[in-house]
Amino acid sequence: MRIHLTINLLKYFIKSTICNISYILKLPILFGFLRKNKVIVLMYHGIVNPCSENPLKNVYGYKISSIQFEEQMEYLSRHCNVLSASDAILGKNVSSHKKNVILTFDDGYKNNYTHAFPILLKFKLPALFSISTGFVFDEIPLWFDTIE
């Protein structure tokens, strides 16, 4: 048992050391090369209007402002290959030159449609929206929304 724990700690130490050294030397390209044709999934919860939203409604930081979101989408549209989830699963339109990214929205907040959707349309970016059906049918809010 003790040997197994020591081996796992050693593996962790070696991996973190290699990663830290690569970033110190500004070599994240090395790890990008090793992850060629992989897909990064970016998960969003809520997009809020920074001027009108109560800051207490974002206690856990699950939501970002529409300004931040638009800046991120502009960056992704220029520097990444944003795929639909179905294209990624089928291996269609996967880039070997740019980072492949899937955008997802969890919980199905109204602001995903009112704030995020117009920005996604502006940059012609696909996204996957997951709707929490428990709230839709039972009208029971998610636990962290109840706390906020």
Side-chain angles (χ1 to χ4, degrees):
M1 177 73 167
R2 195 171 195 177
I3 293 172
H4 182 66
L5 180 62
T6 305
I7 291 171
N8 284 339
L9 285 173
L10 183 61
K11 285 180 183 177
Y12 174 77
F13 176 75
I14 291 169
K15 285 179 184 177
S16 353
T17 303
I18 290 170
C19 187
N20 288 333
I21 289 171
S22 75
Y23 281 101
I24 290 168
L25 298 175
K26 301 187 185 300
L27 297 175
I29 295 167
L30 171 65
F31 289 99
F33 176 76
L34 297 174
R35 293 178 172 222
K36 195 173 186 178
N37 295 334
K38 300 278 178 157
V39 177
I40 298 166
V41 178
L42 296 180
M43 180 178 66
Y44 292 92
H45 284 282
I47 310 300
V48 294
N49 183 346
C51 300
S52 65
E53 296 290 333
N54 179 347
L56 294 177
K57 290 186 176 183
N58 193 21
V59 172
Y60 296 105
Y62 292 143
K63 302 167 189 150
I64 64 169
S65 76
S66 55
I67 294 167
Q68 290 172 309
F69 182 70
E70 185 164 1
E71 288 170 352
Q72 291 176 13
M73 295 306 105
E74 182 179 6
Y75 177 87
L76 291 174
S77 70
R78 290 182 182 191
H79 302 285
C80 298
N81 180 40
V82 181
L83 302 165
S84 68
S86 57
D87 278 356
I89 290 168
L90 297 172
K92 291 173 48 181
N93 302 319
V94 177
S95 175
S96 58
H97 305 293
K98 290 183 172 183
K99 289 190 185 295
N100 295 292
V101 177
I102 296 174
L103 302 173
T104 68
F105 291 84
D106 293 351
D107 308 323
Y109 289 112
K110 181 180 177 182
N111 61 44
N112 294 170
Y113 180 71
T114 58
H115 293 11
F117 190 61
I119 295 169
L120 292 168
L121 286 176
K122 177 180 177 179
F123 293 103
K124 299 177 181 162
L125 298 174
L128 175 66
F129 293 85
S130 301
I131 310 300
S132 176
T133 57
F135 177 73
V136 173
F137 293 117
D138 301 332
E139 297 183 12
I140 300 169
L142 300 167
W143 68 270
F144 44 84
D145 288 330
T146 303
I147 292 171
E148 289 182 340

